Amino acid sequence: MSGNGDAAATAEENSSKMRVIRVGTRKSQVSLARIQTDSVVATLKALYPGLQFEIIAMSTTGDKILDTALSKIGEKSLFTKELEHALERNEVDLVVHSLKDLPTVLPPGFTIGAICKRESPYDAVVFHPKFVGKTLETLPEKSVVGTSSLRRAAQLQRKFPHLEFKSIRGNLNTRLRKLDELQEFSAIILAAAGLQRMGWQNRVGQILHPEECMYAVGQGALGVEVRAKDQDILDLVGVLHDPETLLRCIAERAFLRHLLYLTGGVWSLNGADSMQETMQATIHVPAQHEDGPEDDPQLVGITARNIPRRAQLAAESLGISLATLLLNKGAKNILDVARQLNDAH
């Protein structure tokens, strides 16, 4: 009996000495943010059984302002600022985000230490129960479609001019409830990856492919934000990098940052004016890391020391080249008009 007691005491003592990694997330036990954080923490626990992980939840500005369209608020870090403050104060060690919520230029002292394997980047249509079996094309004239994204509304207005697009806010649970109960919307547009992670694939009535609606930069991928100088945590989360997802997202974020350096989005608000181009590049990723030490390893806010630097630079160059091509063909005029119209409404 005494031997078993000693063993239990030893196990308890060892457990109390385990290092605790504090993980920040947006508040709500059943939210998409919490489910995404739980999935990353589960992976880290499997990789590091000698560590303990504590999840710390907090509300963000974007969670509190629910009666205003995101494009009208004018805040670049709606869903990240409070979490970054906690990182800065050393109250948490890392934060899990939807990568599309992270600006391409992070505040000083922060970096994206890992980009996890991307799920579907596409947008999905969820229909009101009375319109199940329809598509956006076959919805009745003047049907109202809800979306929180100007990007989606501008593109889809051009593709489906018989529809009306209206802002809808709230987490996934709230938006689905508004769709089903308020009789205001015929359908809503959501990220397919979010529905998949919530286990609601059965609500997807239509997947929007790029020729219908180009997805957001980084959509479908999770980013892990950390303190840029916290080498222990950078090493810890760096194993989560998915090389293909990383390079694609570097290219996308470089494209977005280059455009935003000049102005806003790339479609007029009514979808009448748009500009699209496609560029491709083949990037070879060697088996061994061939790069030397780097004083500032960040590209578009991302640190990935375990991925070859040449491959990252090639991905960044692709994104910048495509943005430059569009701007040289007149995209700046579309961007300027879209910004003015959005500010005026």
Side-chain angles (χ1 to χ4, degrees), residues 18-158:
M18 291 174 69
R19 181 183 178 188
V20 177
I21 306 298
R22 301 155 300 167
V23 183
T25 187
R26 290 162 60 188
K27 189 170 288 185
S28 178
Q29 292 289 333
V30 294
S31 71
L32 176 61
R34 181 56 185 260
I35 287 173
Q36 292 176 163
T37 299
D38 287 346
S39 71
V40 170
V41 168
T43 301
L44 289 172
K45 283 181 176 179
L47 290 169
Y48 303 105
L51 299 177
Q52 287 185 326
F53 293 85
E54 177 187 359
I55 295 177
I56 299 173
M58 59 198 76
S59 296
T60 68
T61 301
D63 298 314
K64 297 170 185 175
I65 304 175
L66 298 176
D67 58 352
T68 306
L70 293 177
S71 62
K72 302 293 184 185
I73 300 173
E75 172 59 61
K76 293 182 179 179
S77 54
L78 282 174
F79 299 105
T80 63
K81 185 162 58 177
E82 286 80 3
L83 294 164
E84 286 172 340
H85 286 168
L87 266 177
E88 186 176 31
R89 296 190 296 264
N90 200 31
E91 296 170 354
V92 299
D93 299 303
L94 58 99
V95 178
V96 178
H97 301 281
S98 292
L99 185 62
K100 65 183 178 65
D101 291 337
L102 283 171
T104 56
V105 179
L106 299 184
F110 302 109
T111 189
I112 300 169
I115 296 181
C116 305
K117 185 174 178 61
R118 190 179 218 165
E119 296 190 37
S120 171
Y122 301 120
D123 291 312
V125 187
V126 179
F127 292 93
H128 187 280
K130 69 181 178 183
F131 290 120
V132 169
K134 295 278 190 180
T135 65
L136 290 182
E137 188 170 7
T138 60
L139 280 176
E141 189 85 12
K142 301 297 183 182
S143 292
V144 177
V145 178
T147 175
S148 62
S149 164
L150 272 182
R151 168 189 59 84
R152 293 168 179 152
Q155 294 182 76
L156 294 173
Q157 187 70 72
R158 180 181 178 88

Side-chain angles (χ1 to χ4, degrees), residues 172-185:
L172 289 188
N173 313 58
T174 300
R175 279 181 267 180
L176 285 172
R177 186 169 63 250
K178 288 179 178 179
L179 171 67
D180 293 339
E181 298 177 4
L182 296 185
Q183 306 298 319
E184 182 179 1
F185 300 99

Side-chain angles (χ1 to χ4, degrees), residues 273-300:
D273 294 317
S274 70
M275 187 166 294
Q276 298 182 38
E277 288 288 344
T278 300
M279 296 183 69
Q280 294 182 333
T282 301
I283 301 172
H284 173 63
V285 181
Q288 299 297 322
H289 195 310
E290 299 178 357
D291 302 312
E294 188 74 40
D295 291 336
D296 183 12
Q298 288 196 44
L299 287 179
V300 288

